[in-house]
Amino acid sequence: MSVDDREDPDRLEGPAVTRVEVPVDTRAPGGTTNAYLLDGLLADPAARTDALDAALAERGSVDADAPSVEAIAVTHAHPDHVGAVADYAALTDATVVARDDHADRFAAAAGVEPDETVAPGETVADTAVRAVDTPGHAPDHLAFAAGGPGTESGRSVLCCGDLAVAEGSVAVAAPEGDLSAYLASLERVRDAGYDRLLPGHGPPIDDPAATCDRLIEHRLSRERDVIAALDGGASDLDAVVDGAYEKDLSGVRDLALATVAAHVEKLVAEGRADEAWRARLADRGFD
């Protein structure tokens, strides 16, 4: 399904954005990843689909009122975000861009070497889209900003990948997930004052500050549950999971375990949990 945000009568004038929901093997609700055409950038082409082909073709037509694709990049190199990078690189001849210091990770996941790299704060290839540092969900996580003061489009948007979702929460799971970095990323995005967030899964977010605050509180609430389990005598990860979650974890216990491991890692690093947990985490493969 393709959604051209410029057709939304309730949307303020801003960058040219087309969202295409791409069916992919993902644990995110809905079973799709959003690919975005954000000004001249194709972000997160998770798989090649007719809808995404059509959106690209529309951008390349002679009467298009939005720029054609000049660059391809991903918010992070998880499988449900990179599946068709190589396909669309060949189809469009666009510049393939990876995050600096993570080019090897990108190439291994996407199956194509990047043409160049980008650092947070820089523009992506020849587009006007800016890279924004948002690690936490993954170590290489970037977001892509367009519009805002000093641009032709006064309304600012951030293609935020798996930093945020309109409903529910985002997985921050060990060993890759870093909760301290994730919370700091949410705070930076909240304080930046974007008008709209474009998440990797689900609908756009028109209340960025409130959503970031909700996600921060969700993580801090889970942290309080983990601390309570530790204080209650839990001495292994399974016991912490049982103490921290008051719901049926059938089918998602592995994710709950990895989430709790990320919380414990943060608490140990902050000196709020016993150092003995480092060995317990390593024994379960979370090191």
Side-chain angles (χ1 to χ4, degrees):
M1 183 167 115
S2 176
V3 180
D4 189 336
D5 283 344
R6 290 167 298 144
E7 295 175 356
D8 180 355
D10 296 323
R11 183 180 182 278
L12 298 178
E13 187 63 28
V17 178
T18 302
R19 174 169 61 98
V20 180
E21 298 176 41
V22 178
V24 2
D25 184 11
T26 177
R27 297 181 75 169
T32 63
T33 294
N34 292 326
Y36 289 98
L37 293 164
L38 177 61
D39 282 345
L41 174 68
L42 170 59
D44 288 354
R48 185 169 182 184
T49 68
D50 290 343
L52 191 48
D53 283 359
L56 283 164
E58 180 186 353
R59 286 292 181 97
S61 66
V62 294
D63 58 350
D65 58 359
S68 59
V69 170
E70 300 291 339
I72 300 172
V74 299
T75 54
H76 60 296
H78 282 171
D80 61 334
H81 288 256
V82 303
V85 169
D87 289 337
Y88 286 111
L91 181 68
T92 64
D93 200 31
T95 302
V96 177
V97 182
R99 178 173 180 150
D100 67 337
D101 297 330
H102 293 279
D104 290 345
R105 174 184 170 93
F106 172 91
V112 60
E113 294 288 336
D115 298 309
E116 57 186 68
T117 61
V118 65
E122 297 178 345
T123 56
V124 182
D126 292 330
T127 73
V129 177
R130 306 175 302 283
V132 176
D133 192 27
T134 52
H137 173 75
D140 60 332
H141 202 287
L142 274 178
F144 302 110
T151 70
E152 293 182 2
S153 300
R155 185 166 165 85
S156 60
V157 301
L158 184 74
C159 176
C160 68
D162 286 352
L163 175 73
V165 285
E167 297 180 355
S169 61
V170 171
V172 183
E176 280 204 338
D178 182 326
L179 273 169
S180 293
Y182 178 69
L183 290 170
S185 293
L186 284 171
E187 290 171 356
R188 282 196 304 275
V189 168
R190 176 196 64 195
D191 295 345
Y194 295 103
D195 294 303
R196 172 176 267 199
L197 302 183
L198 308 172
H201 307 280
I205 297 167
D206 287 317
D207 54 353
T211 296
C212 289
D213 280 337
R214 175 181 64 79
L215 291 168
I216 290 168
E217 175 52 31
H218 172 77
R219 287 296 159 200
L220 295 180
S221 176
R222 181 69 67 211
E223 179 175 276
R224 291 190 289 271
D225 293 338
V226 169
I227 291 171
L230 295 176
D231 290 346
S235 59
D236 60 58
L237 281 178
D238 287 304
V240 179
V241 169
D242 292 338
Y245 286 86
E246 296 181 352
K247 63 181 182 180
D248 182 9
L249 296 174
S250 300
V252 294
R253 188 173 180 85
D254 61 328
L255 186 55
L257 192 73
T259 299
V260 163
H263 276 283
V264 173
E265 284 180 344
K266 176 178 179 289
L267 293 170
V268 171
E270 294 172 349
R272 300 164 66 197
D274 194 287
E275 284 287 330
W277 278 100
R278 293 193 189 276
R280 295 170 188 160
L281 291 167
D283 288 343
R284 299 296 295 268
F286 300 116
D287 55 358

